[in-house]
């Protein structure tokens, strides 16, 4: 019923995370309806991201330079290294503005069921970085999931015997949340990681 180009656009939108067939159709009709310059601005933004943005050669954060802003910032504490799964985790941890150390982005987590092994992540580069750096602390900030914990454990084993102290993020009830509504994993972590009052 639809032209080949429209069908193709719907198919491409439908591949995006969180976009079902109906939303994909809505987006495609939106593109058809808007002015040509607006639609081409979207195409151009996608092209620009793919052509200009790549991984920082040191920490694998996203950047348009060889090294990302954090790695280039002389004010960052070079004795602390925080290990995260994805660039979006780094952005989340930067929000409070309380951490001033460096990062290492793994670009995923070890997930045997999805066929993702340690060699597909940036773990080798991390180990080299830690061995060659002046870090005093390596903070494991992988997600508190089975796979995130497994990845953190794997890395801590690899780093055992190197000088930096290895820590992990404290866990527990989000401040402002109510115990009753916390899920059981969060509660279990909160109990296990309890601190002296
Ligand atoms: Zn960097």
């Amino acid at each position: 019923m639809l032209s080949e180009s429209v069908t193709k656009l719907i198919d491409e939108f439908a591949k995006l995370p969180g976009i079902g067939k109906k939303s994909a159709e809505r987006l495609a009709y939106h593109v058809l309806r808007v002015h040509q310059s607006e639609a081409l601005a979207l195409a151009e933004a996608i092209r620009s991201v793919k052509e200009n943005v790549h991984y920082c050669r040191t920490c694998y954060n996203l950047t348009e330079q060889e090294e990302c802003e954090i790695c280039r910032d002389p004010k960052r504490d070079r004795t602390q290294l925080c290990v995260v799964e994805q660039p979006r985790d780094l952005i989340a941890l930067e929000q409070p503005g309380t951490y001033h150390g460096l990062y290492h982005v793994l670009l995923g987590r070890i997930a045997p069921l999805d066929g993702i092994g340690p060699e597909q992540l940036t773990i080798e580069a991390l180990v080299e970085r830690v061995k060659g750096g002046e870090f005093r602390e390596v903070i494991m900030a992988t997600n508190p999931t089975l796979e995130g914990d497994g990845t953190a454990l794997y890395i801590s084993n690899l780093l055992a015997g190197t000088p930096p102290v290895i820590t992990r993020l404290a866990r527990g009830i989000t401040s402002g949340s109510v115990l009753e509504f916390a899920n059981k994993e969060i509660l279990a972590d909160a109990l296990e990681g309890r601190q002296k009052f």
Side-chain angles (χ1 to χ4, degrees):
M1 294 298 190
L2 292 167
S3 87
E4 204 179 310
S5 306
V6 176
T7 308
K8 175 94 179 97
L9 185 59
I10 293 171
D11 289 347
E12 289 302 321
F13 277 133
K15 290 179 193 166
L16 299 176
I19 304 287
K21 183 86 181 165
K22 276 270 167 281
S23 301
E25 283 173 10
R26 241 169 1 93
L27 290 169
Y29 288 121
H30 173 78
V31 167
L32 283 169
R33 215 169 36 236
V34 297
H35 195 271
Q36 178 149 359
S37 63
E38 195 178 325
L40 291 182
L42 171 65
E44 185 47 39
I46 293 172
R47 180 199 299 277
S48 170
V49 153
K50 293 314 286 180
E51 283 179 358
N52 301 325
V53 180
H54 49 257
Y55 298 123
C56 169
R57 67 163 182 209
T58 306
C59 76
Y60 297 89
N61 185 16
L62 294 171
T63 180
E64 297 198 18
Q65 319 271 326
E66 267 203 56
E67 267 197 319
C68 73
E69 253 177 74
I70 293 172
C71 287
R72 292 200 317 265
D73 185 349
K75 290 197 288 291
R76 305 292 300 209
D77 179 353
R78 280 160 203 279
T79 67
Q80 277 189 318
L81 185 67
C82 182
V83 178
V84 297
E85 291 180 23
Q86 299 290 353
R88 61 175 179 268
D89 300 325
L90 181 159
I91 291 166
L93 286 167
E94 281 295 288
Q95 292 306 315
T98 49
Y99 177 70
H100 304 294
L102 300 177
Y103 289 94
H104 191 93
V105 184
L106 296 170
L107 300 179
R109 73 269 179 274
I110 300 170
L113 292 179
D114 299 332
I116 301 169
E119 65 289 343
Q120 276 143 281
L121 309 177
T122 66
I123 293 177
E124 209 182 306
L126 168 66
V127 172
E128 270 184 39
R129 227 182 135 191
V130 170
K131 285 185 174 159
E134 314 145 34
F135 300 112
R136 281 207 292 270
E137 182 184 4
V138 175
I139 304 160
M140 290 297 161
T142 50
N143 282 303
T145 59
L146 206 60
E147 291 170 343
D149 284 342
T151 307
L153 185 66
Y154 179 86
I155 293 169
S156 340
N157 285 336
L158 281 182
L159 293 179
T162 58
V165 175
I166 298 165
T167 58
R168 67 167 206 178
L169 290 186
R171 300 182 181 181
I173 311 300
T174 322
S175 48
S177 72
V178 179
L179 270 192
E180 189 183 354
F181 299 120
N183 72 37
K184 65 175 188 297
E185 284 84 2
I186 291 175
L187 281 174
D189 271 335
L191 277 169
E192 201 181 334
R194 67 191 186 274
Q195 295 168 358
K196 243 182 160 184
F197 201 65

